[in-house]
Amino acid sequence: MRSAQAISILAPVLLGIVVLALWQGACRLWHIPPYLMPSPSDIAAALWHDGPALLHALLSTLEVTFAALAAAVIGGVLVAFLLVQSPLIERCLMPYVVIMQVTPIVAIAPLIIILVKTTPVALTLCAALIAIFPVISNTLQGLRSVDPDLAAYFRMYKASRLQTLFRLRVPSALPMFMAGLRIATGLSLVGAVVAEFVAGTGGNSAGLAYEILQSGFQMDIPRMFAALFLITVAGLALYGATAGLQRAVLRHRA
Amino acid sequence: MSDTVLSLDAVEKVFPNGVRGLAPVDLTVRAGEFVSLIGPSGCGKSTLLKLIANLHGPSAGSLRWWGSDFRGVGQKGRRLAFVFQDATLMPWANVGRNVRLPLDLMGVDRASGDARARTALARVGLGHAAERYPAQLSGGMRMRVSIARALVTEPDLLLMDEPFGALDEFTRNRLDEEMARLCYQDGLTTLFVTHALHEAAFLSSNVMVMAAHPGRIHARYAIDRTIVRDEAFRLSERFAEISRELAVLLEAASHESHLAAEMQT
């Protein structure tokens, strides 16, 4: 069991090292210029050199990500609770929830950025709109996934609406909600980057997307890769954090 | 008469689709009795249980609780507890909080709720398991928790609907012995629905053999209360005799149900 675990960690790490080595070797062997395809060492140098500026940009992207995630979770949970109240409400609202989901937010992002004057708010709104759907649908499905026998038990003991909500529905919904949260966290980061691309805001609050755009314009491809690397690391960290949270919250369940 | 917990007087049930679920049924459960309902499917066991649980009302006849009509007593006045075929525990709550649930729903404060939950768990031999979670328990232990959750309300009557059907035979026998102890030593009055003839023979002080089309009580069979229900009883000639006699009654009830079904079609 222990060795199987070690292999499942070691194998992908080893593969990564081999790919990096081949990449580095190919760049050296064929003298590929860094503005076409930088070698891993070029990227590492860019990361070292531009680190502080890129980290500053990353922080600003993460600010948007977390604000969007918070908005998506609060908004999504509220909408799910509203939808589950009555079939009529659901029938009225659900088509619009779906319309919102199938509309590519990238397409309406310019509109949002025009309509909402404050750029950080506009960015957050775009990212939240991308992240909210899995929260709504998973919470809704979770609130409905109550064990019917347990629900019958609550009815037999004349549980009040509030008791049924907090002692039965909410805990029953938690596994589905946590799965939704995990998806929404990844989408918030995607949303933040996409919104930054569309807004193209520079200045002090410029995010990583802006850094990538700028690096492209300036043909500073190693810097572009370095920014990409930071986004990936941030994405992995967020994924790990939500996966850990999910495990912690659901640790006693089968 | 004063020790009659539950009495059904000519209770009938006709469903909205016109099907007669129950022909007039008379049934009395006295304090400390273990009454089993056994019979072929469609004999109205579940319908009867739902009437007693007040999940729906009778079409005719009356149900009495300690001698007073059900409608007068109200849900709060009937101290009933339920155990289903599945343990139906909350997977997110530990054993102690699962057992405390009915008290929580009734508004009992936490401290006395916890104390009563511990007592109930001790009665089913799980005094040590209050902090564990359902996922960590075996099927038999989960069922014990479910029984403790029923005991915690100190019910006048425990309704059990095929509670051990999903368990293996060994676990089932242990739990049957546990139930016998709770009834015959601690005085827990129980109404028990089962498919298993040997379980009814082992546990009951009274067996109601039911027939179908419409659901009715075909025969009543009393078993000496003073028998000690233990492993030795299960192997005894007396147990074999009871099982044989019940098998004959059940066979006749099934045969009648088939005839009645053919008459209807």
Side-chain angles (χ1 to χ4, degrees):
Chain A
M1 197 58 216
R2 269 245 172 251
S3 65
Q5 220 170 6
I7 286 173
S8 78
I9 294 170
L10 273 179
V13 169
L14 230 77
L15 178 68
I17 291 172
V18 168
V19 168
L20 282 178
L22 287 176
W23 181 356
Q24 183 78 32
C27 287
R28 281 278 166 84
L29 188 66
W30 290 303
H31 302 287
I32 300 171
Y35 57 82
L36 280 183
M37 187 63 175
S39 70
S41 64
D42 293 332
I43 296 167
L47 202 57
W48 175 254
H49 182 253
D50 297 327
L54 289 178
L55 272 180
H56 184 79
L58 174 66
L59 277 182
S60 131
T61 301
L62 284 179
E63 256 171 50
V64 174
T65 303
F66 283 120
L69 182 62
V73 166
I74 294 169
V77 167
L78 283 178
V79 170
F81 270 98
L82 190 68
L83 289 176
V84 87
Q85 287 310 309
S86 88
L88 183 67
I89 298 177
E90 188 186 352
R91 229 165 286 151
C92 289
L93 285 181
M94 207 56 198
Y96 297 101
V97 174
V98 174
I99 287 171
M100 208 180 74
Q101 158 69 4
V102 297
T103 310
I105 301 298
V106 192
I108 58 166
L111 188 68
I112 292 172
I113 283 157
I114 292 169
L115 288 177
V116 181
K117 289 280 178 290
T118 333
T119 312
V121 177
L123 296 179
T124 305
L125 191 61
C126 287
L129 282 177
I130 289 179
I132 199 170
F133 190 75
V135 179
I136 296 176
S137 64
N138 277 43
T139 310
L140 194 60
Q141 210 179 329
L143 286 170
R144 293 226 175 87
S145 68
V146 173
D147 175 0
D149 289 338
L150 210 47
Y153 192 87
F154 272 68
R155 276 199 303 279
M156 282 179 196
Y157 280 95
K158 300 279 160 205
S160 68
R161 249 184 115 88
L162 270 181
Q163 282 175 325
T164 309
L165 180 65
F166 286 111
R167 289 174 181 276
L168 184 63
R169 273 186 183 265
V170 169
S172 299
L174 216 47
M176 288 297 296
F177 168 77
M178 291 309 294
L181 179 69
R182 211 162 142 171
I183 302 167
T185 308
L187 286 181
S188 296
L189 183 62
V190 172
V193 173
V194 166
E196 282 172 2
F197 268 129
V198 175
T201 13
N204 200 34
S205 65
L208 271 182
Y210 177 76
E211 295 292 339
I212 290 176
L213 282 179
Q214 279 304 307
S215 308
F217 296 148
Q218 295 159 7
M219 296 297 275
D220 192 351
I221 308 303
R223 186 182 154 99
M224 205 167 164
F225 269 91
L228 200 59
F229 175 77
L230 282 182
I231 292 180
T232 308
V233 170
L236 278 175
L238 285 175
Y239 182 85
T242 40
L245 186 68
Q246 190 178 19
R247 262 199 306 279
V249 169
L250 306 177
R251 69 189 176 285
H252 293 303
R253 306 197 195 194
Chain B
M1 200 54 201
S2 61
D3 67 343
T4 303
V5 180
L6 173 77
S7 57
L8 275 65
D9 188 16
V11 165
E12 281 184 69
K13 182 69 189 177
V14 180
F15 291 110
N17 60 7
V19 172
R20 284 179 78 198
L22 278 180
V25 165
D26 296 315
L27 176 70
T28 307
V29 181
R30 294 200 171 78
E33 275 190 328
F34 196 111
V35 178
S36 292
L37 304 176
I38 189 168
S41 53
C43 71
K45 292 175 297 204
S46 305
T47 307
L48 202 54
L49 220 53
K50 279 180 189 151
L51 282 170
I52 296 166
N54 212 24
L55 291 178
H56 49 59
S59 310
S62 69
L63 292 95
R64 293 178 174 277
W65 185 256
W66 291 114
S68 322
D69 193 276
F70 256 41
R71 280 161 295 181
V73 185
Q75 190 87 12
K76 287 249 152 72
R78 286 189 299 275
R79 303 215 304 184
L80 268 175
F82 311 87
V83 172
F84 309 106
Q85 177 159 13
D86 294 313
T88 58
L89 303 177
M90 303 178 289
W92 57 84
N94 68 22
V95 165
R97 277 188 287 144
N98 262 292
V99 172
R100 218 180 57 204
L101 174 67
L103 300 179
D104 286 344
L105 294 181
M106 290 188 291
V108 174
D109 70 274
R110 225 191 135 134
S112 60
D114 276 335
R116 284 168 70 178
R118 271 196 300 278
T119 312
L121 276 169
R123 283 177 76 184
V124 296
L126 283 178
H128 58 285
E131 301 299 321
R132 295 171 75 179
Y133 282 80
Q136 302 170 296
L137 304 178
S138 67
M141 283 169 92
R142 279 203 285 274
M143 198 39 89
R144 277 168 205 268
V145 175
S146 193
I147 295 169
R149 184 178 62 182
L151 295 178
V152 79
T153 58
E154 287 157 42
D156 291 336
L157 179 63
L158 173 62
L159 298 180
M160 302 183 91
D161 192 2
E162 293 174 27
F164 309 142
L167 301 175
D168 64 85
E169 180 138 0
F170 177 79
T171 310
R172 187 175 191 156
N173 288 348
R174 293 292 85 77
L175 280 166
D176 282 346
E177 285 157 30
E178 198 105 357
M179 284 314 301
R181 195 172 49 71
L182 287 169
C183 178
Y184 295 104
Q185 287 180 26
D186 301 358
L188 177 72
T189 314
T190 310
L191 186 62
F192 194 86
V193 171
T194 181
H195 275 312
L197 189 141
H198 64 88
E199 199 166 40
F202 182 80
L203 279 168
S204 316
S205 60
N206 284 285
V207 183
M208 303 293 141
V209 180
M210 297 185 73
H213 310 293
R216 61 197 184 277
I217 294 176
H218 169 78
R220 295 157 200 262
Y221 185 90
I223 301 169
D224 186 357
R225 296 185 43 91
T226 57
I227 295 171
V228 179
R229 268 89 171 163
D230 58 7
E231 200 52 45
F233 171 57
R234 208 188 292 282
L235 301 169
S236 70
E237 187 51 43
R238 180 82 187 97
F239 178 75
E241 189 189 328
I242 293 168
S243 301
R244 260 199 309 277
E245 288 176 7
L246 278 176
V248 170
L249 290 174
L250 192 59
E251 186 55 45
S254 302
H255 186 66
E256 261 197 30
S257 305
H258 277 296
L259 285 183
E262 276 168 25
M263 294 268 284
Q264 278 173 7
T265 52

